Amino acid sequence: MALKITVIGTGYLGATHAAAMAELGFEVLGLDIDPDKIALLQRGEVPMYEPGLEDLLRRHVAGIEGSSGRLRFTTSWEEVGAFGDVHFVCVNTPQKHGEYACDMSYVDAAFEALAPQLHGPALVVGKSTVPVGSAARLAERLAKLAPAGEQVELAWNPEFLREGFAVDDTLHPDRIVVGVASERAEELLREVYATPIAEGSPFVVADFPTAELVKTAANSFLATKISFINAMAEVCEAAGGDVVKLAEAIGHDERIGRKFLRAGIGFGGGCLPKDIRAFMARAGELGADQALTFLREVDSINMRRRGHMVELAREAVGGSFLGKVVTVLGATFKPDSDDVRDSPALNVAGQIHLQGGQVTVYDPKGMDNARRLFPTLNYAPTALEAVRGAHVVLHLTEWREFRELDPARLADVAAEPRILDGRNALDAELWRKAGWTYRALGRPNA
Ligand code: UDX
């Protein structure tokens, strides 16, 4: 009989995983402690913007016309415990307030609520990004709390999905990593992932600590790559070089590769910044802090980018923001997402506002979230409206919509046709031809 799957936590990760599991043919029950979120999902609506996710969900949510009916949602732990053969824990692990460490309270609460409901054989699979050592600790808690005792097992299966590509990354993962303590657990997970494995996704079997570390190591590497190219951008600016050319040239070396070498205002979002900090904090607890001191530098190069962008903008408007109108194009931490968590774009907008600038923000999808986080900024309904009267325009999130803008039309409404490209993504020639002064991070002024 086909496995029955539950997914605990229905954020970016959980909602996508639940819909993907239904797409793979399993009966799926999703749980969240937020009844509003559950009501929304039950109607086939997604609480965030993620391309393709709503379609996928609607194909499977029970009660929606034409759906497979394989996907349902609940707030009942009892129901989840009785339903599932495999339980995926997908709750979030944010940064703790006031410290670097990871806040494990949601993961811990999920295990404490789920375990007492497990009366028969079950595999609990952690997907959340956690400090190394958590799986071993949680396995002990499960053994203690689950009425079915040894019939309940734990596995760790980190998730590598990128926002904006979550559906594709989940259905066609570039690798599946599982930390297991038994062959039975491995076999069950091979069954769950049979389709992507048959398509050729590598299946890597490891122990608990290695599986946990794979995730933090991968994100640390990506963060390091971005900060590396941003450090090169700083040197390029000092030496009159062009970081975009430099990235292209070193990227031809296959060992280096071209991806994740886009210099700009740096990384943000709900993962990279907090994951490298939690990793440093955990290494400190383990007595291995020296091994990760370089991540402190990666973090500070990254944070410096935001300050540098503010400085360039201040310089562009003549040394002070007082009485100046500043347009910020982009609020989300990356395009194709409505996520503004630790967004470099909004951070820059906020700093300029605090320094007395009149900041107007426009973003294709992130306006509601941005408004909630920074209610004191101005928000315009279109890019054109946002640019009206601007003394300087900052391009801070590389949405396709911004690359497709007509610089000549914008020049007509701006007070000063001056643009700073914080993502090195606009066509400099096009903007210059339309009368703009174009400047980008890490590139010479033409
Ligand atoms: C990341 C990891 O990529 C993913 O594997 C993991 O599961 C979760 O964390 P995500 O947070 O969705 O995914 O975003 P990602 O695409 O990695 O981008 C992170 C940040 O880096 C964004 O702010 C982006 O603008 C920035 N970035 C990315 C750069 O500044 N330059 C680059 O070259 C690439």
Side-chain angles (χ1 to χ4, degrees):
M1 221 178 58
L3 292 172
K4 287 185 168 172
I5 289 178
T6 83
V7 176
I8 292 154
T10 57
Y12 278 101
L13 169 56
T16 314
H17 191 66
M21 287 292 122
E23 175 79 6
L24 293 181
F26 300 105
E27 295 283 326
V28 183
L29 182 61
L31 174 140
D32 204 286
I33 53 170
D34 178 351
D36 293 340
K37 214 184 247 181
I38 289 300
L40 208 69
L41 289 163
Q42 246 154 3
R43 293 199 299 271
E45 292 168 32
V46 179
M48 61 268 184
Y49 174 73
E50 180 61 44
L53 181 53
E54 195 149 293
D55 284 349
L56 188 68
L57 205 73
R58 295 183 69 83
R59 269 218 295 281
H60 299 292
V61 172
I64 289 186
E65 216 189 297
S67 80
S68 71
R70 286 198 290 267
L71 177 55
R72 290 184 303 113
F73 293 94
T74 182
T75 52
S76 159
W77 290 100
E78 202 181 341
E79 209 184 324
V80 159
F83 180 89
D85 303 304
V86 180
H87 304 274
F88 284 98
V89 178
C90 299
V91 297
N92 59 336
T93 49
Q95 187 176 338
K96 271 190 191 165
H97 288 295
E99 46 182 306
Y100 271 12
C102 163
D103 176 357
M104 284 291 287
S105 60
Y106 302 108
V107 174
D108 289 344
F111 274 80
E112 300 291 315
L114 174 66
Q117 305 296 340
L118 301 175
H119 296 280
L123 181 67
V124 179
V125 186
K127 275 190 111 41
S128 309
T129 301
V130 295
V132 58
S134 303
R137 176 174 66 80
L138 291 164
E140 272 177 33
R141 286 303 288 163
L142 267 185
K144 205 172 213 160
L145 295 174
E150 281 177 6
Q151 290 183 299
V152 174
E153 239 202 281
L154 182 70
W156 214 265
N157 168 218
E159 179 57 54
F160 305 101
L161 68 80
R162 298 160 298 169
E163 290 182 21
F165 301 91
V167 169
D168 210 44
D169 284 352
T170 308
L171 286 172
H172 312 286
D174 55 12
R175 80 283 210 192
I176 298 158
V177 177
V178 298
V180 290
S182 76
E183 270 176 31
R184 177 174 157 260
E186 180 185 332
E187 272 161 27
L188 273 173
L189 284 165
R190 281 188 188 276
E191 202 176 325
V192 169
Y193 291 115
T195 307
I197 292 171
E199 271 179 14
S201 289
F203 189 80
V204 182
V205 182
D207 53 25
F208 285 164
T210 308
E212 291 166 311
L213 282 168
V214 167
K215 175 62 195 256
T216 29
N219 275 357
S220 298
F221 191 86
L222 295 172
T224 304
K225 213 170 169 193
I226 300 170
S227 276
F228 174 82
I229 201 64
N230 282 331
M232 293 305 111
E234 285 185 19
V235 178
C236 279
E237 274 182 33
D242 181 339
V243 73
V244 175
K245 261 287 163 290
L246 182 138
E248 184 195 331
I250 62 172
H252 284 304
D253 183 332
E254 271 181 18
R255 294 167 302 174
I256 296 174
R258 297 175 77 152
K259 291 188 181 148
F260 265 64
L261 283 184
R262 269 183 297 109
I265 55 169
F267 58 82
C271 293
L272 298 191
K274 65 109 180 160
D275 284 353
I276 61 171
R277 291 173 193 154
F279 199 18
M280 284 186 266
R282 184 62 185 141
E285 287 168 5
L286 294 169
D289 41 343
Q290 261 196 330
L292 298 187
T293 44
F294 75 96
L295 285 179
R296 214 170 272 283
E297 199 52 45
V298 165
D299 199 5
S300 64
I301 291 169
N302 190 53
M303 297 311 281
R304 209 151 68 215
R305 304 308 287 163
R306 304 173 182 192
H308 183 52
M309 190 71 217
V310 175
E311 271 166 39
L312 286 183
R314 199 191 309 109
E315 212 176 275
V317 295
S320 164
F321 286 118
L322 293 177
K324 299 294 182 186
V325 178
V326 180
T327 298
V328 169
L329 296 180
T332 53
F333 84 102
K334 67 189 270 189
D336 298 316
S337 163
D338 64 355
D339 196 345
V340 299
R341 282 177 297 172
D342 201 359
S343 163
L346 265 191
N347 182 301
V348 167
Q351 286 192 51
I352 294 176
H353 172 70
L354 288 175
Q355 293 181 26
Q358 293 173 39
V359 182
T360 300
V361 179
Y362 169 72
D363 186 279
K365 295 285 177 200
M367 299 290 266
D368 291 343
N369 287 338
R371 226 183 249 117
R372 262 194 293 276
L373 203 63
F374 281 93
T376 50
L377 302 175
N378 300 321
Y379 293 91
T382 61
L384 187 72
E385 281 314 308
V387 170
R388 202 174 286 284
H391 294 111
V392 65
V393 176
L394 313 185
H395 174 246
L396 301 186
T397 312
E398 68 278 32
W399 286 91
R400 172 194 281 267
E401 181 179 329
F402 299 147
R403 287 196 293 281
E404 291 173 351
L405 287 170
D406 175 1
R409 263 200 92 197
L410 296 183
D412 286 342
V413 299
E416 306 269 355
R418 204 180 280 130
I419 183 150
L420 299 179
D421 187 357
R423 290 294 185 182
N424 273 310
L426 300 175
D427 181 341
E429 273 323 293
L430 201 71
W431 286 75
R432 285 185 180 131
K433 268 196 197 124
W436 288 80
T437 310
Y438 171 95
R439 185 164 179 197
L441 298 182
R443 304 185 81 178
N445 294 328

